[in-house]
Amino acid sequence: MAYQLYRNTTLGNSLQESLDELIQGSLNTYRFCDNVWTFVLNDVEFREVTELIKVDKVKIVACDGKNTGSNTTE
Amino acid sequence: MDQNNSLPPYAQGLASPQGAMTPGIPIFSPMMPYGTGLTPQPIQNTNSLSILEEQQRQQQQQQQQQQQQQQQQQQQQQQQQQQAVAAAAVQQSTSQQTTQGTSGQAPQLFHSQTLTTAPLPGTTPLYPSPMTPMTPITPATPASESSGIVPQLQNIVSTVNLGCKLDLKTIALRARNAEYNPKRFAAVIMRIREPRTTALIFSSGKMVCTGAKSEEQSRLAARKYARVVQKLGFPAKFLDFKIQNMVGSCDVKFPIRLEGLVLTHQQFSSYEPELFPGLIYRMIKPRIVLLIFVSGKVVLTGAKVRAEIYEAFENIYPILKGFRKTT
């Protein structure tokens, strides 16, 4: 299983999902270090049933977890 | 003028009228190349018989020399490629004819005109000699022009040495669009938008750049990555940039009988439709691997330079035309 990611990264060009998000969507930057994902998004709409929140910039920090996962926005 | 009277009686009937260029003595040997026949001029002074005999002996010697040279030429031509051979053959035949002309002058039995045993040097004979094969100047490919299809480059993989050790964690934390998971893979995966590429950056300072569509784009992208690393504080250089692999693809626009192709080219092809729907053709020269599909789409990979992709496609195109599906 460890080779799957290896295959993804060594090919590099085949799955450019992050980059495709960059072009199409509002993903500004991404980072993955120490098993922590950090995303910065621009012009985001948070939609709940009743409410709609529009934001210019969102930073998402996501940790891998079995039971816990933290999500902070600013 | 009593030149005709000077000839021995048995030769008089054969002698050409004064000034004619046709050989007075019939040399209808099939080995004698046309256009290089001896054209003896009317003799001025007569020692008649002996001179005639000498003329005949010289002609025979020259005939033998020409035969030997032509045989050697033929052997060489069979061994060498046609282009080089054609050029050499033309040069050799013209030089051969000039040497014949000069050797014909050696005896100096006739003082009127020089003995021309060949067309003037510099001119090619009207008809090619029957002995030398019709070697064309251009390679004798079947009368097909180029395919008119140019493979498009899809991916270029290149490597470069930044020339200094790198702290991957620092790079992953401070650079944008970077991934670093040392448990899975010991390199930082960084991407840039323009040119759209991905780089693998290793702690040794070596870097792999993938995804560019042209050689220049690959080099430019690698430079951009190097600049990113440099701005993070590392003394990055740009050493030994080298393109390692180029991938191209194109469409021949007709369906292909892969089964037929693998039967006739089995030493180059492998086709296992249950494993992979494409035929894998490993061309020897240039050393390129082609993936050929029933639809007529072709992928070419393994090239170090763009010309290898083009050359490989020009090589395979006539073969594919021969296996066009007619139904």
Side-chain angles (χ1 to χ4, degrees), chain B:
Chain B
M1 309 258 189
D2 55 351
Q3 291 172 358
N4 279 337
N5 298 333
S6 61
L7 282 175
Y10 58 83
Q12 256 182 356
L14 306 173
S16 52
Q18 192 178 356
M21 288 301 291
T22 54
I25 295 166
I27 311 165
F28 297 122
S29 161
M31 303 304 277
M32 188 65 186
Y34 184 94
T36 59
L38 295 175
T39 55
Q41 301 302 315
I43 312 172
Q44 297 284 345
N45 29 341
T46 79
N47 217 345
S48 54
L49 184 58
S50 57
I51 290 175
L52 196 58
E53 276 182 338
E54 281 195 49
Q55 286 175 35
Q56 287 174 349
R57 233 177 292 124
Q58 284 155 18
Q59 287 163 13
Q60 285 168 12
Q61 286 171 6
Q62 287 176 356
Q63 282 176 38
Q64 287 165 7
Q65 287 172 9
Q66 288 162 15
Q67 289 167 29
Q68 288 168 5
Q69 287 173 5
Q70 284 153 14
Q71 283 168 9
Q72 289 169 5
Q73 275 186 7
Q74 285 171 15
Q75 287 168 4
Q76 289 171 4
Q77 284 165 4
Q78 286 164 8
Q79 292 167 8
Q80 294 170 7
Q81 291 178 8
Q82 285 183 353
Q83 267 189 356
V85 160
V90 170
Q91 292 169 8
Q92 284 176 12
S93 58
T94 51
S95 65
Q96 193 187 41
Q97 288 159 2
T98 54
T99 55
Q100 285 172 7
T102 52
S103 65
Q105 293 173 9
Q108 293 299 337
L109 287 177
F110 326 118
H111 64 77
S112 56
Q113 295 164 11
T114 57
L115 180 69
T116 54
T117 61
L120 296 172
T123 65
T124 50
L126 279 176
Y127 310 101
S129 332
M131 273 320 297
T132 54
M134 291 275 294
T135 50
I137 308 295
T138 53
T141 51
S144 61
E145 304 88 22
S146 69
S147 59
I149 303 170
V150 179
Q152 297 302 308
L153 290 179
Q154 302 293 344
N155 180 29
I156 309 229
V157 178
S158 58
T159 55
V160 71
N161 186 2
L162 300 179
C164 63
K165 293 271 178 287
L166 302 174
D167 181 13
L168 298 184
K169 189 141 173 198
T170 310
I171 295 176
L173 282 174
R174 294 173 56 197
R176 290 166 174 244
N177 305 323
E179 295 167 45
Y180 182 45
N181 199 352
K183 289 187 302 192
R184 297 271 178 91
F185 190 52
V188 168
I189 302 139
M190 196 184 296
R191 295 184 175 87
I192 56 173
R193 286 179 238 216
E194 185 53 51
R196 191 151 78 87
T197 51
T198 303
L200 308 175
I201 305 171
F202 294 84
S203 55
S204 63
K206 298 220 173 126
M207 183 171 77
V208 180
C209 175
T210 63
K213 302 278 190 191
S214 84
E215 304 92 319
E216 262 318 296
Q217 282 188 8
S218 190
R219 192 185 184 91
L220 175 64
R223 283 204 178 266
K224 288 192 177 181
Y225 288 113
R227 198 177 330 134
V228 169
V229 170
Q230 204 177 54
K231 282 192 178 166
L232 291 179
F234 299 94
K237 298 181 270 297
F238 199 74
L239 308 173
D240 308 322
F241 175 81
K242 184 179 175 197
I243 289 175
Q244 302 289 354
N245 185 29
M246 300 173 75
V247 181
S249 72
C250 56
D251 186 3
V252 299
K253 302 282 199 304
F254 55 78
I256 301 170
R257 286 183 285 119
L258 298 183
E259 268 302 331
L261 180 55
V262 74
L263 283 174
T264 49
H265 290 78
Q266 41 188 301
Q267 67 254 59
F268 307 111
S269 322
S270 89
Y271 176 46
E272 296 277 345
E274 297 180 3
L275 284 184
F276 186 64
L279 185 151
I280 301 162
Y281 192 102
R282 296 179 187 275
M283 194 175 285
I284 309 287
K285 190 183 180 326
R287 203 163 75 84
I288 298 284
V289 174
L290 299 91
L291 305 178
I292 304 166
F293 296 88
V294 176
S295 59
K297 300 264 195 328
V298 179
V299 174
L300 307 94
T301 184
K304 286 279 194 290
V305 290
R306 187 187 283 246
E308 287 175 1
I309 298 265
Y310 294 160
E311 185 187 345
F313 182 68
E314 291 305 317
N315 285 349
I316 203 79
Y317 188 68
I319 297 169
L320 295 181
K321 279 203 291 192
F323 288 98
R324 183 178 193 144
K325 257 192 206 170
T326 48
T327 52

Side-chain angles (χ1 to χ4, degrees), chain A residues 16-28 42-43, chain B residues 193 196:
Chain A
Q16 298 220 9
E17 292 165 351
S18 307
L19 220 56
D20 291 338
E21 287 178 46
L22 266 168
I23 296 172
Q24 298 165 14
S26 55
L27 179 65
N28 195 325
N42 291 116
D43 301 323
Chain B
R193 286 179 238 216
R196 191 151 78 87

